[in-house]
Amino acid sequence: AAAKGVGRLCERLPQEFADQVLAALMDRAFGSVGTSHRAWHGGCLALAELARRGLLLPHRLESVIPVVCTALHYEHTTGGFAIGQHV
């Protein structure tokens, strides 16, 4: 629901403001080393929603594609099991 809300919000914003929202999303969800699997999951959902709505600008693809590739291979070991299948 939150990812869809971000998509709806960005759809209504001017293009440069929507780009700032995407930059903040990239920084918050994928920017730091200690980012949790929940942030990765939510960030990927938001990226997918922005892509579905055609809101990923071509100059942003250079930074988005490596994140998506990393998310496809994401796995984090916690206790006796691994987290990453849902990311």
Side-chain angles (χ1 to χ4, degrees):
K4 288 183 180 182
V6 169
R8 284 189 209 113
L9 176 75
C10 287
E11 214 169 33
R12 289 168 175 76
L13 289 173
Q15 199 172 47
E16 57 273 0
F17 291 153
D19 191 48
Q20 289 178 7
V21 171
L22 176 60
L25 169 74
M26 295 288 289
D27 185 49
R28 299 285 177 146
F30 313 111
S32 64
V33 175
T35 306
S36 73
H37 68 278
R38 290 177 186 89
W40 273 87
H41 183 73
C44 288
L45 287 173
L47 284 178
E49 186 64 25
L50 292 174
R52 187 181 77 82
R53 293 176 184 267
L55 298 171
L56 290 180
L57 300 177
H59 76 275
R60 284 285 179 190
L61 292 178
E62 200 174 296
S63 61
V64 169
I65 290 175
V67 169
V68 171
C69 290
T70 302
L72 290 172
H73 300 287
Y74 182 86
E75 189 168 312
H76 177 75
T77 305
T78 304
F81 61 95
I83 297 171
Q85 192 174 27
H86 67 283
V87 172

